[in-house]
Amino acid sequence: MVDEGDRCLRCNERFEYDRGTCPNCGWDSQAFRDRGRYGLARPGTGEWSGD
């Protein structure tokens, strides 16, 4: 089921993040997370700690 908040960050199409890539533009939520949100994820920016 697609949640109201599950929208592609590239084209805004609704899709299930757990299913891989956006069917409209190919954006991949897992690759986005693996890259640290385009380098924006860094300590002290509100990220949860690993504890």
Side-chain angles (χ1 to χ4, degrees):
M1 180 174 146
V2 177
D3 186 298
E4 188 66 27
D6 290 345
R7 290 196 173 265
C8 175
L9 295 182
R10 182 182 292 157
C11 71
N12 206 33
E13 181 74 21
R14 287 179 194 235
F15 80 103
E16 293 182 49
Y17 283 178
D18 295 336
R19 291 197 175 223
T21 61
C22 173
N24 189 50
C25 72
W27 180 81
D28 185 351
S29 64
Q30 183 61 50
F32 181 71
R33 289 189 300 269
D34 290 345
R35 285 192 310 266
R37 297 176 21 236
Y38 294 118
L40 299 175
R42 59 186 182 275
T45 58
E47 299 295 325
W48 290 99
S49 67
D51 298 338

